[in-house]
Amino acid sequence: MSAADPPGRDLDHTPWPPEFAARYRAAGHWRGQTFGSLLTSLTAAHAGRTAVVGETVSDPWARWTFAELDDRAHRIAAGLVARGIRPGDRVVVQLPNVPEFLAVVFGLWRVGAWPVFALPAHRESELRHFATQAEAVAIVTVGVHERHDHAATARAVADDVSSVQHVLVVDTSEWAGLAATAPRELPDPDPEGVAFLQLSGGSTGLPKLIPRTHDDYLYSVRESARICRLRPGSVYLAALPVAHNYPLSSPGVLGALHAGAASVLAPRPDADTAFRLIERERVTITGVVPPLAAAWVQAAARTTRDLSSLEVLLVGGAKCGRELAARIGPALGCTLQQVFGMAEGLVSYTRLDDPEELVLGTQGRPISLDDEIRVVDEQDRDVPPGETGALLTRGPYTIRGYYRAGAHNATAFTADGFYRTGDLVRRTPSGHIEVVGRAKDQINRGGEKVAAEEVEDHLMAHPAVLAAAVVAVADPYLGERTCAYVVPAEGAAPTGPELRRFVRRRGIAAFKVPDLVEIVPAFPVTGVGKTSKRELRAALSALAAVASDQKG
Ligand code: AMP
Ligand code: DBH
């Protein structure tokens, strides 16, 4: 902790120490540009090109040019200012994949207000938490979407959280008035200041708020666009909820904008919707999480859609095992690009010209040579090269502290500012990172440690398995045993004994063969579609409670 950050003080934003900031500026990573001014210069370069395509609240299939997006953002900014929104105000944004998302977010950036990025899947308790933590002054949302009344939820939150003065609903006439305000020039905010609050995945407890600055985030967006080879002719499909850090910035809709490319916003990520849009809009690049990649691979076998425009499929957000990785290129006729990232900062990509071994077997290497990576043991000592340890990182776009979370920051970061990612990794001599598991995604079977992902990968090798998730189940003798949840491939009906036999025959230690196998139609998922192991574990403990009631 530095002198500027006395213990217990809940800073909004823990700045990088001045010597690091100076280094990142000198290296050209931080260029002193804000997102608002970025959109202005993109519009100058690409005015008539398509910036975003998707279902707006008023148009079933809108197509906005850079100039139109820029004009809308300017008007929204002026309208927000007229309603009293000021620089530094926090505004919770909960919008589905609609073009208005970009207009609202760039509008807020023009004002210098900070979007707080909620996902459409979040409900009252999470929104109340974000609004309270951030002392938000407003919530921007939609009316009814996918059978949920977001406007009603936002109003309920506004009733409870006194800081919230406005609920702005983009499909109302009130909003239409705001969005039609005459544009005016506004002062550009500080590029080294906070631009928005992103959310952590919140594997334990509620998500934490992550302050990202214009300078640091723009660096990661610019480099992501370059690494993913986005160009003005590219078409990026946002299949996942666009407010999530991954489809927002890796390379995401912001990377696409940065390159002068178009973004297509998919209302849903299922294969039917995505394949229809890939065919119709000639999509060249998109990104999914592994369970979705598995579903697309399966659907590709019988699709009549023309997917030939697709050049790159990014897979990340959770470990993409080798078995699944190997199926993607052949099934979808594109190049797999693995991406391992976190809303806190560090993002690593396999490069498009990496050898197959690295593309299939690693989660890529960091964006920046200034990303500092340490792989450490439980005492924070560096492990020998190539061995597994916990990943710590620090760099030009990795935060130095969560928003107003002094006590948590003391354990989430080392004294010298490295972020403790919670991921277990090893590095190849080329500097690529292989994610071996989460520090906690391990089953301790009477002292014998079972890495969930290792067993999942063996299960995934079975043709009847679409997806697998291995979690711990409490056991009176061993402490924990393993339970494998399995979603069958289409038309397949694998049985527990058959899968256990299959895994055993793959030649692994007997203690790693799943003790229980549960066949389920689908997994519970997080807001962005990652398998929610938290919910699977909760389901198991509920079952155990029922069983012990019945015994007792
Ligand atoms: P979040 O907190 O939602 O930003 O999630 C970030 C976390 O997701 C990382 O710390 C990893 O645990 C996980 N993650 C993201 N991408 C990958 C990947 N490609 N492989 C394994 N884990 C990943
Ligand atoms: O899971 C993530 O948070 C994530 C995955 C890929 C991410 O934040 C990112 C890329 O930027």
Side-chain angles (χ1 to χ4, degrees):
M1 217 168 263
S2 73
D5 183 14
R9 185 159 153 225
D10 278 356
L11 294 174
D12 284 6
H13 169 221
T14 311
W16 283 262
E19 63 278 19
F20 283 86
R23 172 138 72 84
Y24 300 150
R25 276 191 297 267
H29 304 332
W30 295 1
R31 296 188 177 170
Q33 189 180 37
T34 64
F35 279 96
S37 67
L38 170 72
L39 183 59
T40 303
S41 55
L42 289 173
T43 301
H46 308 288
R49 282 185 188 281
T50 301
V52 57
V53 183
E55 253 168 52
T56 69
V57 295
S58 58
D59 184 342
W61 204 239
R63 204 173 281 281
W64 296 350
T65 62
F66 279 83
E68 284 166 324
L69 173 61
D70 188 50
D71 179 60
R72 284 169 201 269
H74 267 116
R75 290 174 186 278
I76 289 170
L80 291 169
V81 169
R83 275 157 191 76
I85 309 288
R86 289 166 319 198
D89 281 349
R90 276 79 62 201
V91 175
V92 175
V93 176
Q94 185 184 39
L95 291 173
N97 284 8
V98 289
E100 284 90 345
F101 172 87
L102 286 173
V104 166
V105 168
F106 276 98
L108 287 165
W109 280 334
R110 281 251 157 78
V111 174
W114 307 358
V116 182
F117 287 120
L119 298 173
H122 288 135
R123 292 294 177 261
E124 204 171 317
S125 83
E126 289 112 340
L127 290 179
R128 190 183 300 113
H129 168 72
F130 305 147
T132 308
Q133 275 285 105
E135 286 183 88
V137 301
I139 302 175
V140 182
T141 190
V142 274
V144 176
H145 176 77
E146 301 271 327
R147 293 182 304 283
H148 179 75
D149 190 343
H150 289 270
T153 302
R155 287 197 192 97
V157 171
D159 285 345
D160 281 2
V161 182
S162 60
S163 60
V164 179
Q165 302 297 313
H166 311 271
V167 172
L168 302 167
V169 182
V170 298
D171 35 6
T172 57
S173 54
E174 185 201 355
W175 176 263
L178 184 154
T181 310
R184 53 182 276 206
E185 277 318 307
L186 296 167
D188 205 25
D190 175 8
E192 276 190 49
V194 174
F196 59 88
L197 298 176
Q198 187 51 278
L199 309 179
S200 74
S203 53
T204 56
L206 284 163
K208 305 214 169 34
L209 301 179
I210 297 169
R212 300 289 302 260
T213 65
H214 294 270
D215 264 339
D216 91 73
Y217 207 62
L218 251 175
Y219 172 50
S220 71
V221 164
R222 183 169 69 238
E223 288 302 298
S224 294
R226 189 181 57 74
I227 290 166
C228 301
R229 295 196 190 152
L230 290 175
R231 53 187 191 277
S234 303
V235 181
Y236 175 80
L237 178 74
L240 300 172
V242 63
H244 189 274
N245 198 60
Y246 171 19
L248 187 63
S249 68
S250 298
V253 292
L254 294 177
L257 284 174
H258 196 282
S263 293
V264 178
L265 305 183
R268 284 170 303 281
D270 59 274
D272 283 350
T273 307
F275 290 3
R276 177 169 57 78
L277 294 176
I278 291 171
E279 178 178 73
R280 162 132 61 111
E281 300 293 336
R282 307 296 296 158
V283 169
T284 60
I285 176 168
T286 181
V288 294
V289 289
L292 198 55
W296 285 18
V297 162
Q298 177 170 280
R302 55 172 163 73
T303 189
T304 55
R305 299 288 183 186
D306 175 7
L307 306 180
S308 62
S309 58
L310 193 65
E311 296 164 6
V312 175
L313 181 69
L314 290 124
V315 181
K319 172 76 176 271
C320 176
R322 186 182 278 273
E323 290 292 335
L324 174 59
R327 284 179 213 173
I328 288 169
L332 293 160
C334 64
T335 301
L336 164 67
Q337 183 168 34
Q338 296 214 38
V339 54
F340 160 57
M342 53 205 71
E344 287 82 355
L346 181 71
V347 181
S348 89
Y349 295 97
T350 55
R351 301 309 199 256
L352 293 173
D353 55 2
D354 273 344
E356 186 176 43
E357 179 50 32
L358 292 173
V359 173
L360 298 183
T362 78
Q363 282 60 59
R365 63 183 164 82
I367 285 180
S368 176
L369 290 174
D370 282 321
D371 283 317
E372 298 174 67
I373 300 290
R374 290 186 60 201
V375 183
V376 301
D377 66 14
E378 272 150 26
Q379 278 76 48
D380 280 356
R381 291 174 305 215
D382 294 299
V383 300
E387 287 189 14
T388 299
L391 171 65
L392 310 183
T393 185
R394 162 174 103 167
Y397 59 97
T398 297
I399 56 164
R400 295 298 187 116
Y402 289 99
Y403 181 73
R404 297 185 180 170
H408 179 68
N409 286 342
T411 55
F413 295 82
T414 64
D416 55 354
F418 279 82
Y419 169 55
R420 297 181 188 278
T421 66
D423 295 310
L424 295 178
V425 305
R426 56 179 168 246
R427 290 194 97 185
T428 64
S430 60
H432 285 62
I433 296 171
E434 186 190 346
V435 181
V436 181
R438 289 286 298 163
K440 281 157 284 163
D441 201 5
Q442 202 183 51
I443 295 94
N444 192 334
R445 204 175 172 282
E448 286 176 312
K449 308 291 191 313
V450 183
E453 280 164 6
E454 181 186 347
V455 182
E456 287 159 10
D457 212 37
H458 286 298
L459 286 162
M460 288 289 293
H462 193 289
V465 174
L466 177 63
V470 174
V471 295
V473 53
D475 183 82
Y477 301 105
L478 293 169
E480 289 179 351
R481 288 197 300 159
T482 51
C483 176
Y485 279 93
V486 168
V487 179
E490 213 171 57
T495 65
E498 178 189 341
L499 292 176
R500 298 183 68 239
R501 236 184 348 263
F502 174 79
V503 171
R504 196 175 306 114
R505 289 209 190 110
R506 290 187 45 99
I508 64 169
F511 70 84
K512 293 183 186 168
V513 175
D515 294 299
L516 298 171
V517 177
E518 294 280 338
I519 310 288
V520 293
F523 293 146
V525 291
T526 66
V528 75
K530 301 187 197 185
T531 301
S532 175
K533 289 203 167 173
R534 193 156 35 127
E535 282 184 47
L536 286 175
R537 290 186 194 106
L540 270 178
S541 43
L543 273 180
V546 172
S548 75
D549 271 4
Q550 284 167 349
K551 270 191 235 154

